[in-house]
Amino acid sequence: NAGVTQTPKFQVLKTGQSMTLQCAQDMNHNSMYWYRQDPGMGLRLIYYSASEGTTDKGEVPNGYNVSRLNKREFSLRLESAAPSQTSVYFCASSLTFTGRDYGYTFGSGTRLTVV
Amino acid sequence: GESVGLHLPTLSVQEGDNSIINCAYSNSASDYFIWYKQESGKGPQFIIDIRSNMDKRQGQRVTVLLNKTVKHLSLQIAATQPGDSAVYFCAENRSNDYKLSFGAGTTVTVRA
C-alpha cells in the first residue's frame, strides 16, 4: 500500500526555471493538499483540492499553480522558480475535506533548492 | 493573529521517562486537534486526534489532553523510546474552515 507518492525526492533549479512536482495517492481520498515546510515555520498550505475538479488557494499560493488531474493526482507547478521557493514540499490527502477522524496522509516530501 | 504554536522548540528526554509536549492555540473556533510525528527525511505521520467535546484521549503510549479554558493541548508519551525522537506538530482544524493549521513543531531528542 503506497499511500501518497511524491516525485521527485530532490531537485535543484536555477532561478527562473520551471518545474512540476507530482503527487499521487492510491487510497481513494477525495481531498489533496500541497504544503511547504521551512525551518521554524511548520507547514504552510499552498493550494488544496477539496474534491476532484476543484482547486483553491491556501495561505502562500503566490508563485505556484496546481492541477487536479484526476482523483488520484495533484500536481504543483513553479512557473519561474525563485530562491524564496527553496523548501521541502509535502503533498497530503484526506478521505474527507475536513480531514477528521483520520487526519491527513502525507507523502515523504520533495526537497527543492533554487540557486 | 490566529495561530497554533508549541511552547518549546526542543525537548531532551531520558529514555524511559515520560515526555510532555505542549501546544497553545488562539482561535476559540478550533474544535479538532491532531498531533503529528515527523521523523527525519519523512512526511508527518498521524499520532492521535481529539475533538473539542473531549478533555482527554488515550492511544498506545500516548495521551492528548485538551484544556479549552486556556486554549492549550499537550501530548504525553509514556516510557519514551529512542524511536520517539522526531519533530512533533500540533495542528488545528476549525469547524468553519476545515483546512489544517500547523504549529512550528517541537524537536524531541531521546537520550540513552
Side-chain angles (χ1 to χ4, degrees):
Chain A
N1 189 355
V4 177
T5 302
Q6 292 183 235
T7 56
K9 294 189 182 301
F10 301 93
Q11 185 71 48
V12 178
L13 290 178
K14 294 182 179 179
T15 297
Q17 285 185 318
S18 62
M19 78 161 296
T20 299
L21 281 64
Q22 306 288 351
C23 175
Q25 52 91 8
D26 62 0
M27 298 171 288
N28 201 34
H29 283 176
N30 293 300
S31 302
M32 299 185 73
Y33 314 83
W34 277 104
Y35 284 87
R36 61 177 289 174
Q37 184 176 37
D38 302 297
M41 297 187 73
L43 289 94
R44 292 182 292 169
L45 182 63
I46 305 171
Y47 270 93
Y48 66 97
S49 172
S51 60
E52 185 180 358
T54 69
T55 61
D56 285 287
K57 296 178 179 179
E59 58 180 305
V60 288
N62 291 344
Y64 306 95
N65 283 300
V66 291
S67 294
R68 183 74 182 267
L69 304 171
N70 48 55
K71 190 172 185 179
R72 290 185 64 247
E73 298 173 286
F74 188 38
S75 63
L76 178 71
R77 183 162 178 83
L78 286 71
E79 292 290 352
S80 179
S84 61
Q85 294 178 304
T86 293
S87 188
V88 181
Y89 291 85
F90 288 99
C91 177
S93 69
S94 61
L95 181 62
T96 63
F97 182 47
T98 68
R100 300 190 174 200
D101 298 321
Y102 301 101
Y104 292 9
T105 301
F106 284 85
S108 58
T110 296
R111 187 173 295 274
L112 176 67
T113 302
V114 183
V115 297
Chain B
E2 300 166 350
S3 64
V4 177
L6 290 164
H7 291 306
L8 294 174
T10 61
L11 179 66
S12 180
V13 183
Q14 184 70 40
E15 181 178 357
D17 287 352
N18 295 335
S19 303
I20 299 176
I21 306 165
N22 295 305
C23 181
Y25 65 97
S26 58
N27 192 332
S28 57
S30 299
D31 63 351
Y32 180 66
F33 304 89
I34 307 174
W35 280 100
Y36 284 91
K37 173 186 181 182
Q38 186 177 23
E39 296 174 279
S40 181
K42 297 183 179 180
Q45 182 180 12
F46 177 92
I47 301 174
I48 193 168
D49 61 355
I50 188 168
R51 295 179 184 269
S52 60
N53 60 354
M54 301 172 69
D55 298 324
K56 179 179 179 179
R57 191 168 189 216
Q58 291 184 291
Q60 187 175 11
R61 281 203 306 118
V62 295
T63 301
V64 55
L65 299 177
L66 177 62
N67 185 330
K68 295 179 288 294
T69 301
V70 295
K71 298 188 181 67
H72 179 272
L73 69 159
S74 65
L75 178 70
Q76 300 178 3
I77 305 173
T80 309
Q81 303 170 358
D84 294 326
S85 292
V87 180
Y88 291 81
F89 295 93
C90 64
E92 67 169 318
N93 183 280
R94 307 165 197 175
S95 60
N96 61 347
D97 175 7
Y98 290 112
K99 300 184 290 295
L100 278 181
S101 296
F102 287 83
T106 292
T107 300
V108 174
T109 302
V110 180
R111 306 189 306 272

